[in-house]
Every structure is written in structure tokens, then in C-alpha cells.
Amino acid sequence: MDTSTLLINLSHHIIDMWPLKSIFLLSSLALLSSATEEVSRTEQTSTLFSVEGELALPASRNCAKWSAGARVHLNHGQYIGFVRQDCTFRVDFVPSGTYIVQIENTDFVFEPIRVDITSKGKMRARKLTILQPNNVNTLPYPLRLSARGPARYFRKREEWRITDMLFSPMVLMLVVPLVVMLILPKMTANDPELKREMENMQMPKVDMPDVGEMMANFFGGPAPAKKKAVTAGSGQRRK
């Protein structure tokens, strides 16, 4: 039979007795029930633990003002703690188990840490390695979490650079064949064996224009028109 039901039955029997004795016994039963509840509550709290640590911010940021908007989350909000003005934190009433400690704020990015709590209250902290769970990198306890950098919510705007144009596919398709066609004949001219092999490959011959003439035509403008020579016979007829 449950303790509460037993107390209820006893109270009903006591009410049937004399009034003064019933009041005395009821008060004693109430004190006994409150004592048993207090004992059970202390037994439960003795199996709960606290996760403590400290945060490291950049020197330009004041922790007293920043801590008001920061929270400490265990297992994505299963247990929540607050950051003090001296950048320390403590999450109480945490049972034994494995937890992921994260710092939630809008200004900085903190690396999450895994904390293992044994049934005897022994703490073990290590880096959270999701890709390599067997790789254990232990960390000192109490925890010390440093800010990796400011939180970025927008992607950096792209800027135009000359290398983007030079390494574009269209420019490479035009420049690389031109460079090969200019350098390859000069390489084969000094090496007769390589020239003989290139001739045996039966590559199509391409008449390469003179680069100096191309540059002169490009920067010098159109060539002047030639004047027609005047013959002697035509001059006599005009007279």
C-alpha cells in the first residue's frame, strides 16, 4: 500500500476519534509526510550535478554587457544556464550522462564541447568530433570556451579581379593554342630530331603571320593609299 493512501486511511480513522486527539495526530502526520518528502527530495538532488566553465572573449568586448544576451545550452536546450558578468557560467541539477555544451549568442561563434558525467559525479570534457568519434581530445575541466570569431550572417560581396578574367575558360581557349603555335616552331628549329618527328606526324601546316607586322597594323592605323604614277604620254596629251 502507498504511503499517501495509508496516511489518508489513518486520518479518516482519527477523525472518528475525539476532536483534540484527532487534531494532534493529524498535525503529527502532516509533519511526518513533509519530512519524508524532504528526504526523497534530498536523495534526488544528491544524484544531480553541475556543469561549470568560463568564456574567453576578445579584449575589445566587455563581458558585463555581453553576458545579458548569452545562454548556455546542454543538448540543444534540454538544460539551460546563464552567463555571469565575469564570463563564468554554471548549469545546475544535471543528471549523469553525455551532454553537448553550446554557447548561444548573436555576436560570436563558440566551438561546442562534449561533457561526460559519470554516476559518481566525475566530469570528462573533450572536443566534439562528429566525423571521427573515436578520436578523443580531452580538455581541462572546468570548461574554458574561447570565441573563434564574430558571427557572420551574410556572405562577403564578390569583387572583380584581373585574375578572374585571365583564368576564364574563354580566354584560356584562345590564349593557350596561340602560345603553343608561337613557341612550338621556335623549339623545333633548334632541335633537328624534334623537327623531323614533327614533320613525320603530318600536322597541318599553318602560315603564321608576323607578330611585328600585326602589331604595327593594329596600332599604326590603315596604310596610306599609293599614288598612281603619271606617264609621259598622258602629260603631253593634257598639254
Side-chain angles (χ1 to χ4, degrees):
M1 184 180 294
D2 193 4
T3 306
S4 60
T5 57
L6 180 61
L7 292 175
I8 292 170
N9 294 330
L10 288 174
S11 62
H12 285 299
H13 288 292
I14 292 168
I15 290 171
D16 296 335
M17 298 173 65
W18 296 280
L20 295 176
K21 290 182 178 180
S22 63
I23 293 172
F24 176 75
L25 291 174
L26 285 174
S27 61
S28 62
L29 288 173
L31 292 173
L32 180 61
S33 62
S34 62
T36 54
E37 290 178 358
E38 187 68 24
V39 170
S40 62
R41 190 176 301 171
T42 53
E43 289 179 355
Q44 291 178 358
T45 53
S46 62
T47 57
L48 301 178
F49 309 98
S50 299
V51 178
E52 300 177 351
E54 183 182 2
L55 303 180
L57 297 179
S60 60
R61 183 56 63 97
N62 186 8
C63 187
K65 297 180 179 179
W66 173 83
S67 61
R71 300 290 184 272
V72 183
H73 286 195
L74 270 64
N75 284 354
H76 308 286
Q78 184 178 0
Y79 298 94
I80 301 176
F82 299 92
V83 181
R84 302 187 183 97
Q85 292 186 355
D86 57 350
C87 273
T88 59
F89 64 88
R90 179 175 177 176
V91 185
D92 296 321
F93 305 110
V94 180
S96 59
T98 301
Y99 301 94
I100 298 175
V101 182
Q102 292 176 308
I103 308 300
E104 299 293 335
N105 68 105
T106 58
D107 299 328
F108 299 100
V109 177
F110 291 86
E111 185 177 0
I113 293 177
R114 175 178 172 177
V115 177
D116 299 326
I117 306 174
T118 61
S119 59
K120 296 182 180 180
K122 185 178 180 180
M123 303 284 185
R124 186 181 70 169
R126 59 177 178 174
K127 291 184 178 180
L128 181 63
T129 54
I130 299 175
L131 299 178
Q132 297 178 350
N134 296 327
N135 189 10
V136 179
N137 295 323
T138 58
L139 298 173
Y141 187 86
L143 304 175
R144 181 175 177 81
L145 288 80
S146 301
R148 292 190 298 180
R152 296 180 180 178
Y153 299 97
F154 301 97
R155 185 179 296 178
K156 188 178 180 180
R157 189 173 183 178
E158 295 183 358
E159 299 178 356
W160 184 85
R161 290 172 292 184
I162 189 65
T163 54
D164 298 337
M165 185 184 68
L166 293 177
F167 292 103
S168 63
M170 296 301 295
V171 174
L172 292 175
M173 289 173 63
L174 295 174
V175 171
V176 173
L178 182 61
V179 172
V180 171
M181 294 172 67
L182 292 175
I183 296 176
L184 195 58
K186 294 181 180 180
M187 293 176 62
T188 57
N190 298 327
D191 193 351
E193 294 182 358
L194 182 60
K195 185 176 181 180
R196 194 180 305 109
E197 291 179 1
M198 294 296 294
E199 291 177 353
N200 295 331
M201 290 175 63
Q202 297 181 357
M203 296 181 62
K205 295 182 179 180
V206 180
D207 295 333
M208 293 298 298
D210 189 6
V211 180
E213 186 178 355
M214 288 176 60
M215 299 297 291
N217 294 333
F218 181 76
F219 292 103
K226 295 182 180 180
K227 296 181 180 180
K228 294 183 179 180
V230 181
T231 57
S234 61
Q236 293 177 358
R237 290 178 183 176
R238 289 179 181 179
K239 290 180 180 180

